[in-house]
Each structure stands twice: as C-alpha cells, then as structure tokens.
C-alpha cells in the first residue's frame, strides 16, 4: 500500500511539472484546466479501484474505473488535442 501512495504522488508531481511547462510555453488556461482535471480524475479512479479491491468489492472497483477513469482519460486526450490545435493555428 505504501508503494501505491508513492506512485500516486509521483504521478501527481509529474502532472504538475508538465502543467508548469505548459504555462511557461503559453498554453491556454483551458488546456491546463482540462488536463489537470483529467489527471486528477484518473488518479482518483485508480485509488478508488485499489481500495475497493482491497476491501473485496470488485464490482465497485469496476464501476469506479468506468465512472471516473474513462472520463479522466477523455479529458486528458481533449486537453492534448486542444493544445495541438492551438499550436497549429
């Protein structure tokens, strides 16, 4: 369980470092907001699933990944596409 929290903290730190560089290079605020919301939702879904599996409730883990993980990934991809679109135009 200790390794889980270290990995989640490292993932959150990497997301914040990437966000800093996006701000530094002039990315729009909507990209930053979308990307950080996506990362936080995905990390929340991972914690939700692992805690649910630890308690012996696999159905709750699956529903948490579907309810929070899938929209989190979609928000990360939407932020990435908005950033690519803004840089190309």
């Amino acid at each position: 369980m200790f390794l889980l929290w270290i990995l989640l903290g490292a993932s959150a730190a990497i997301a914040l470092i990437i966000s800093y560089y996006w701000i530094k290079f002039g990315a729009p605020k909507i990209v930053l907001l979308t990307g950080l919301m996506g990362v936080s939702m995905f990390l929340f879904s991972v914690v939700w699933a692992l805690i649910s599996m630890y308690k012996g409730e696999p159905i709750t883990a699956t529903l948490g990944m579907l309810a929070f993980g899938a929209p989190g990934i979609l928000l990360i991809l939407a932020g990435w596409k908005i950033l690519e679109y803004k840089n190309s135009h």
Side-chain angles (χ1 to χ4, degrees):
M1 198 57 124
F2 182 70
L3 182 60
L4 166 71
W5 293 111
I6 290 175
L7 289 174
L8 288 173
S11 301
I14 290 170
L16 290 174
I17 290 169
I18 290 171
S19 301
Y20 170 74
Y21 282 109
W22 280 2
I23 290 171
K24 186 177 177 182
F25 292 116
K29 297 235 187 294
I30 188 72
V31 172
L32 180 64
L33 181 66
T34 305
L36 283 178
M37 273 183 37
V39 168
S40 64
M41 283 181 70
F42 183 74
L43 291 177
F44 178 75
S45 71
V46 169
V47 171
W48 179 299
L50 289 174
I51 290 174
S52 296
M53 291 297 287
Y54 180 73
K55 290 187 175 187
E57 299 173 355
I59 295 174
T60 307
T62 305
L63 291 175
M65 288 299 282
L66 286 175
F68 297 111
I73 291 173
L74 291 176
L75 282 172
I76 293 169
L77 291 176
W80 191 271
K81 289 296 182 182
I82 292 170
L83 183 64
E84 286 180 356
Y85 179 77
K86 296 283 183 179
N87 285 339
S88 67
H89 287 90

